[in-house]
Amino acid sequence: LCKLLTCLPAAYPLGSHTPLLLAQFRPLLGGAEGRAGGTEAAEIQGLVGAHSRLLDLLLQRPVHSFRPMVEQASPLFVAACGLLHMLVEDEAGATPKKPGDARQLKTLLPLVTGCARLLERALDIVAQKKAFRAVIDVLPACTSLLAARRKACLAEHLSESTSRTGRDPECAEWAEAALSVQSLVGAIFDLRHLDGFKAMAAAETGGDENKVSKNQDATDEPSKKKAKKHVDLANSQATGLAYQSALFVELDKLLQDASTPPAGCAELLPLLLDKFVIAYRLAASQEEASKSFHSTRAAGTSSETAQLVRMPTEFWMFLKFWRALKPSLVQDSADSLARCLVKLWECVRAHGAYRPREDPHLQQSKTLDECCGLLLQRLESGKNVDSPEWDGLLEILRLDASPFETRLEAVWGAIGDARNSASGKEHNAASRFAVALLHTYAGLADLSSCLGGLIKALRKGTSTRTESFMSLTALWGGLESASAEVSMSSSASQICSSWELILRELKKSQKRAEPNGVSWASTLLGHLPSGIRPVELSLEPLRELLQRTFLVMSELESVSPGLRLSLCCLGRKLAAWDLPQLLKTDAEDSADAPDVSVQAAVGLEDLARQLAHWDLADVALTPEHVRASLQWLALTEDTQSHSTSAKPKRKKSHTDPVETIQLSRSQVAAVVLKIARSSAANGSKLLKNREIQLEARRAICAWLPLVTSVVATADETGCGGSSSSTARDSQTGKRKSKNAGESNLDLLVDLVVPEEHTCWLWLAHQWKLQASAGRHSDKSPADPGEMWNSVVNLWSSSTDAILEPEPLRGPVIKKLLGFLQKLLRETSQDLEAEHGKGNYMQEIEVLAGVLGGLQRLSAVPLQVLPEGLGIALLEELVRSVSLACRSCHISQAAGGPALSVDAVECQVLLTALACLSAVVSRIASDTSSLPSSMIEEVVRLFKADSNSALEVAKLLAGNALSMEAAMAVAECLATLVRGLLRLRFAGKTEAADRKEVWMVAERQTWAAQLVASLLAAHHGSNGKSKKLPRVLAKLEAEPSKGNQCVLNLPALQALLCSTGQHTKSEKRVALQLHLASLGRSLRLLLALLGQTGAG
């Protein structure tokens, strides 16, 4: 049949043959009826391909040639959807999965799409009511198709977050089938059916279309006829005779039928609502345009019409779906039903259908409140933190916050009582909703009400609820950002009222037993001030409230470090607004109350002392101690000794030995470094908490210039104790000499320059993405781990912070060069041992990362580095270039294709050449300020018979690199040569003191030899030339003429004869190719010889 159809003319009528053609699909119908029909799923694949081809040929013919009836097309679509659903269920339930199931699905999807198009063609030629009824009859099939699509896409390990937020999973194979179903469902809301829906909406929402029609112009006959039609439809809807009501009857059946997949209903209802809103607004815009064209009166001039306010028709359709869905939501706890409601509200919000001011009977706000209560009731029945109900509450919150005003305590209680999901993700749906709730009330300038509900939920909840809240790190981050929003956008009374509310609970917290000895009120109050951004109008209220809080803290038996750190940081922010001491008046200077800046300094010092003398302090160390220590170091940066004459009195029950110990900045920095560098707990309480070590590393990377300054100063003065034994020696009056081992600066360098290969692999990948602007999508290497995340992020985005502290520049480069030297030695051994096997690629990738780090440190002035370190830097870079050339030759010998510019070997070569060129160019520019020995060493390295520049030139002469890669390498080589040929004199700028280390004739001869090496043919075992540009074989270099390199270019006649072609056209094409190759070759030479001065 397929062959016959291709032979028939396009206009050939197939009307009499349509039943016979469509009868060919009966075997497929038998396969869809189930296993009892005798057709197994494995046998269906052979039938589907032929049927899809036949259906596609039929649909390619014009409508007057092939016009099926609805009774013929509808059973085919239902059968195809049933067959697809059956295969998806088989694939999902197969253990193990059958390898042919995926191929069967891919083959069947075009058939389903074709059946949908077939039904659409049949609907275009039938009566209005019949077309509507036909689409209603296939809604169950559409539901099964949508359910199968969702299950198949989720089975392909797509993102689960898209399914929880109400968005369809993206599956390219199902896109066309989904679009065809959407088009078919959209036929329900064709323009010829919309009048009935509008009349039903007018009858149910209390509108009077007849009353509106009387306000029209009496001579407007079309308006009178249309109004009469609306009245008739409204009356028929009242008696249940409107055919559009069949849609809602069918939806009720689908939702009540146990055999209907809930996932399909969850996809169908939002799709119907979206199609209705689009069609309704399109019809309304066309109607409005028609009125403005025919009428000469302005719209809305009648006062009676203006007074007629009715609920939006779009929201009326949502109400119909909500009433059909509500019984199932109450009785069934399936997530798919809740997801359906979430998508419906998302559609309402996306189209702006929620307009409560246009609702005189408040049906919209009542529905919103009812949905909020139902979702909250479902959450209280034991849902987890990733249930779709949280997304539903979030959609309601985005529309209006009023449903939550009387439910704040219940909402916070549900958040605290929600079960953790199996994924264990930190930022789950419940956390997202909690953060959005805080921000919403912050935007309403009513954050205190939201926190009041949270306090009531915590006060009345169990210890499990409290522990659950304490573990929600995203919630506390949201509280800090909400407090920042309130402090900057509203008056101080808003943030102060929230503060005082928590402060009252803090006073009561000592009477209650809290889990782990941590008060939830202390945690709340610890995060609220962290986000406050003081402004000029809020300084005095915040200062007075902070002083009262310090007074309350002095009366408490214990205060959490997080609370004290937060208040001290706020005190520092407020102190930044204070006048300098010289500008203060006598009244301000003699105030009895201690200043908040002094109290903040005392609090930070106490926390830093507890960390520095951890073995004497009877406290449990936390990450807040580390952060407080760095804050104290920043506070005392300008004044090395902090005056404590204005310290407030402390309430002590016994003598605290820690308070009598003198605290030094070097001790604090040494302990923080010890925590960050320790690799194991070693049984001490200092390192039992892994979070302390992570925080120490994050703090050091964030405050790297400050830590470097403190450590370098301590090492110079010889008083940088690195353990708590220094504190005991200072108590007994003993002095301890500096440890002969590693200094604290060495420990800091060991932290900043990791030797883990995973770190440099990750950095090489990140730098490659940055250089290519994200165009390359190579598989990302393994994450370096949370212990090194802060360090690699420092190298990736904040390299300037490493270069800023001058004492750190030399040691970091020295440590990185040592690691590079070790890596070059290991990689060279692997290249020799595994020649041609390709097992050395990981070492090459690590080498690319290390060279990338050196490239970012190449901006360091050479004058600040020791002379030996600068020479070692040059030597290691030269070795890196040589090793990169070797790896390129090995890749060529292995028989692989020419290396592209993105190849790892080429990237290593380009990076090493770029670093070497930068260093040589800086040496050439600063010859007068650099020692003569460094310039002489550079000349010696490159005057050798086998130097790195000649190796690169020989590599370019071969065919190991692609043309793009060769041009990039040639540009880097030209930059290197340009800098080298400027190295002539060394020493001072005066002519009498200058020393010529490289004669002009020697430099020109060296350049000529370099060009000769570039043009030298690289012959293989068969004696044939393997040079990259073909025409380079015709170029002859004569380096025997001293300091000149003569290039004998071939004549055009010789090029034409070498083509081996016979006809004129063939010779012309061959000549063009040869000339293009010659042009590329000469551009490569010009890139090398440009501005070098070589003859």
Side-chain angles (χ1 to χ4, degrees), residues 11 121 211 260 483 675 858 875 892 952 962 976:
R121 175 175 291 195
K211 181 178 180 181
T260 303
S483 65
I675 295 173
S858 60
E875 292 176 349
Q892 177 191 11
V952 175
S962 64
L976 174 62

Side-chain angles (χ1 to χ4, degrees), residues 706-718 738 744-745 748 806-808:
L706 173 63
V707 177
T708 304
S709 175
V710 175
V711 169
T713 304
D715 287 344
E716 290 176 0
T717 58
K738 185 179 178 181
N744 289 328
L745 187 60
L748 180 60
E806 186 173 341
L808 198 62

Side-chain angles (χ1 to χ4, degrees), residues 132 188 211 297 333 378 485 502 534 552 584 699 714 941 946 983 1028 1033 1076:
F132 186 87
I188 297 177
K211 181 178 180 181
R297 301 172 60 182
S333 60
R378 289 171 61 92
E485 181 180 350
I502 305 174
V552 172
K584 288 186 178 180
L941 286 173
S946 176
L983 296 175
L1028 176 62

Side-chain angles (χ1 to χ4, degrees), residues 90 115 149 198 230 243 255 266 328 407 468 501 520 586 636 672 777 896 1059:
D90 290 343
C115 290
R149 177 202 176 209
K198 290 191 286 186
H230 287 171
Y243 71 87
L255 291 171
S328 300
R407 299 185 175 94
S468 176
L501 186 66
W520 55 261
D586 295 339
T636 57
V672 174
S777 58
T1059 58

Side-chain angles (χ1 to χ4, degrees), residues 436-447 482 485-486 489-490 494:
L437 186 64
L438 289 171
H439 279 282
T440 300
Y441 274 85
L444 297 173
D446 195 15
L447 183 61
E485 181 180 350
V486 171
S489 61
S490 60
Q494 294 294 329

Side-chain angles (χ1 to χ4, degrees), residues 742-759:
E742 285 187 325
S743 65
N744 289 328
L745 187 60
D746 294 334
L747 294 177
L748 180 60
V749 172
D750 291 342
L751 176 65
V752 174
V753 184
E755 294 189 0
E756 280 71 12
H757 288 191
T758 54
C759 296

Side-chain angles (χ1 to χ4, degrees), residues 572-593:
R572 289 197 63 194
K573 295 177 186 177
L574 295 175
W577 291 81
D578 292 342
L579 292 174
Q581 188 69 24
L582 296 176
L583 300 179
K584 288 186 178 180
T585 63
D586 295 339
E588 293 173 341
D589 199 16
S590 61
D592 294 335

Side-chain angles (χ1 to χ4, degrees), residues 151-223:
K151 178 173 286 189
C153 290
L154 290 180
E156 293 293 332
H157 304 288
L158 295 175
S159 174
E160 296 182 3
S161 59
T162 55
S163 63
R164 295 195 185 100
T165 55
R167 300 179 180 87
D168 291 336
E170 297 179 2
C171 193
E173 299 172 356
W174 290 75
E176 190 175 357
L179 288 175
S180 62
V181 172
Q182 292 176 11
S183 177
L184 186 61
V185 170
I188 297 177
F189 305 111
D190 192 76
L191 291 177
R192 51 185 176 173
H193 308 313
L194 279 180
D195 288 338
F197 286 110
K198 290 191 286 186
M200 293 167 62
E204 293 188 11
T205 56
D208 192 349
E209 298 290 344
N210 193 20
K211 181 178 180 181
V212 177
S213 66
K214 292 179 181 178
N215 295 324
Q216 304 291 337
D217 194 349
T219 60
D220 191 3
E221 292 298 332
S223 298

